[in-house]
Amino acid sequence: MVYYIRFLKTPKYHPTKVKGELNVKAYITITTDLGDDFYPGQLGLTTSFYNGSLGDEISPVRIPDHKSTWKQGMRGLPVNVLLKTKELKHPLKLRMVCKASTAKEPQPLECTSILDVLTVWSDIIESATQEAVSKRVERRFSLSGNSPLSIWEETGESIARHLWDAGLGLVAHLQDNLGDSTCTLHRILSKESHPLSVLELGSGCGIVGIALAQLVSGCNVILTDLPEAMEILDHNISTARVAQQSKLAKLSLDWNHELPSAVKRSVLDLIVISDCTYNSDSQSALIGTLSALVALSPDAHVVVSMKVRHSSEAVFFGLMAEAGFEIVEHVSIPKLDDCRTAVGFGLAVIDVHVFNHKTASPLS
């Protein structure tokens, strides 16, 4: 299981009575992707500050790291750091970084070491008197070859447009198996016909599709979700470092509506879905969309990454079979939760299923 450090209150400057000093105050939690559980043990935390723009040109500032401790039973933790502003470059362009004290930065995404606690980077800190406060935060990862992957998400208690475990697991699985010729996804992604055409449904922040466009050359990826996700997708597309001859685009796509004309014109090789099956009420609409897509692209494979949360999700597989989809590969990625294992809980598992339609041609 992955735990996410989140800002319930994003960092802001607060004046003090002493000239040349400012307090930076924030309020964090450490919770699961769904927000239904909190980090259950004790954890040392480090808060640091970086100076610079929102791009890569950032550098640490001469502010001592702030140490704090998350304790068992906590649901939130205040972070309060005193700054000596006369020692800092003005105007202030600071960002706050909260991480587990033992965490690497950027954090690697690999099946053998899927993260325990995810570091969070704030947007540029604003004054407490400013009305408009950024609700975006950044997560930084490293892909194979130390390629950086930057994904922005919304912060706070809402679970919309957040990163989810199954997306992280699928990215780790994809990059770990790009060189494995026995893996179905490797054979799809290494097809000689280029450009490769990929559509992601329910993209959210777009981590899976963006990672694919960074890992695979000659890969055209369309990220799709509801209209309210377009702003965060735009931002993440703008910061992506796509591979040679790869492209990223976004489209609004509602599973209850007809396919957009741009999608109808596409011949797809791969359809990607991660953490979209937990809501059984939307499964029929999702499978209806998949059926419409493979009617236009009968040889397209569908990869579904999921972390099963309740037994009702099993209905998805029955509906897929009724619609003519067959499982051609299934991989389980165990995620050892060191803290929970110590108190008697088992593994959290991310399942990756690859489907094709019964009308598809054999994959060579």
Side-chain angles (χ1 to χ4, degrees):
M1 185 176 293
V2 180
Y3 293 92
Y4 300 75
I5 302 176
R6 302 196 191 279
F7 289 116
L8 294 180
K9 293 181 181 178
T10 51
K12 293 189 212 174
Y13 298 121
H14 294 260
T16 70
K17 294 180 179 179
V18 179
K19 186 178 179 180
E21 291 185 353
L22 279 176
N23 274 324
V24 180
K25 295 182 180 181
Y27 194 74
I28 64 169
T29 187
I30 309 177
T31 185
T32 57
D33 54 1
L34 198 57
D36 58 348
D37 201 2
F38 299 91
Y39 191 80
Q42 183 165 305
L43 183 70
L45 298 171
T46 300
T47 299
S48 307
F49 291 87
Y50 286 75
N51 193 24
S53 69
L54 295 182
D56 292 317
E57 300 305 316
I58 62 173
S59 57
V61 295
R62 293 180 178 178
I63 302 172
D65 287 347
H66 174 76
K67 302 291 185 180
S68 55
T69 302
W70 177 274
K71 296 180 180 178
Q72 186 175 8
M74 279 186 167
R75 300 171 70 90
L77 178 69
V79 178
N80 189 353
V81 183
L82 182 65
L83 302 183
K84 305 285 187 179
T85 57
K86 63 183 180 182
E87 301 173 4
L88 303 175
K89 181 180 177 181
H90 291 262
L92 294 178
K93 294 278 187 180
L94 297 182
R95 298 177 66 188
M96 177 186 281
V97 181
C98 293
K99 67 173 189 173
S101 297
T102 56
K104 295 180 181 178
E105 189 61 30
Q107 295 177 283
L109 273 176
E110 301 167 344
C111 286
T112 53
S113 58
I114 293 179
L115 314 162
D116 286 324
V117 179
L118 226 56
T119 300
V120 64
W121 290 66
S122 79
D123 206 332
I124 289 178
I125 301 171
E126 297 161 319
S127 168
T129 59
Q130 284 183 258
E131 291 185 9
V133 178
S134 172
K135 295 298 183 182
R136 290 187 311 212
V137 296
E138 184 187 15
R139 309 287 186 178
R140 295 188 166 201
F141 307 99
S142 62
L143 300 175
S144 17
N146 292 320
S147 171
L149 173 65
S150 166
I151 298 294
W152 289 75
E153 65 172 351
E154 293 186 0
T155 190
E157 295 184 78
S158 168
I159 61 172
R161 296 171 292 286
H162 275 177
L163 294 182
W164 291 61
D165 291 5
L168 298 175
L170 181 53
V171 172
H173 176 68
L174 285 167
Q175 72 158 352
D176 284 4
N177 290 279
L178 282 177
D180 181 0
S181 60
T182 65
C183 175
T184 300
L185 284 174
H186 164 83
R187 286 181 283 148
I188 296 167
L189 296 172
S190 60
K191 284 174 63 176
E192 293 183 2
S193 60
H194 278 83
L196 198 71
S197 183
V198 179
L199 180 84
E200 183 177 8
L201 295 174
S203 297
C205 302
I207 184 170
V208 177
I210 290 170
L212 264 175
Q214 291 195 192
L215 288 166
V216 181
S217 59
C219 184
N220 291 345
V221 181
I222 301 174
L223 308 174
T224 71
D225 209 312
L226 296 173
E228 51 265 34
M230 294 300 106
E231 183 179 354
I232 199 75
L233 285 176
D234 254 338
H235 191 79
N236 284 331
I237 288 171
S238 72
T239 61
R241 301 183 178 196
V242 298
Q244 187 176 10
Q245 297 181 323
S246 291
K247 295 179 182 178
L248 279 166
K250 69 167 194 337
L251 278 175
S252 176
L253 193 159
D254 188 326
W255 303 339
N256 291 297
H257 296 163
E258 187 178 354
L259 295 176
S261 56
V263 172
K264 289 181 178 179
R265 293 193 298 267
S266 302
V267 178
L268 302 173
D269 298 293
L270 185 65
I271 303 163
V272 178
I273 306 162
S274 65
D275 248 328
C276 290
T277 59
Y278 66 94
N279 183 357
S280 56
D281 293 338
S282 65
Q283 289 181 3
S284 293
L286 171 59
I287 293 168
T289 297
L290 289 173
S291 296
L293 290 169
V294 298
L296 298 168
S297 302
D299 290 337
H301 283 73
V302 179
V303 58
V304 178
S305 181
M306 60 196 302
K307 186 175 82 172
V308 177
R309 301 167 195 276
H310 44 76
S311 57
S312 64
E313 290 184 63
V315 174
F316 174 76
F317 296 98
L319 294 173
M320 286 288 279
E322 288 175 11
F325 290 95
E326 302 169 332
I327 297 175
V328 295
E329 187 170 270
H330 170 219
V331 177
S332 289
I333 305 169
K335 170 64 184 81
L336 181 62
D337 182 340
D338 293 332
C339 185
R340 285 196 168 280
T341 301
V343 292
F345 287 80
L347 295 175
V349 175
I350 296 165
D351 289 297
V352 178
H353 299 268
V354 181
F355 296 83
N356 66 5
H357 198 264
K358 61 185 179 184
T359 58
S361 304
L363 180 66
S364 58

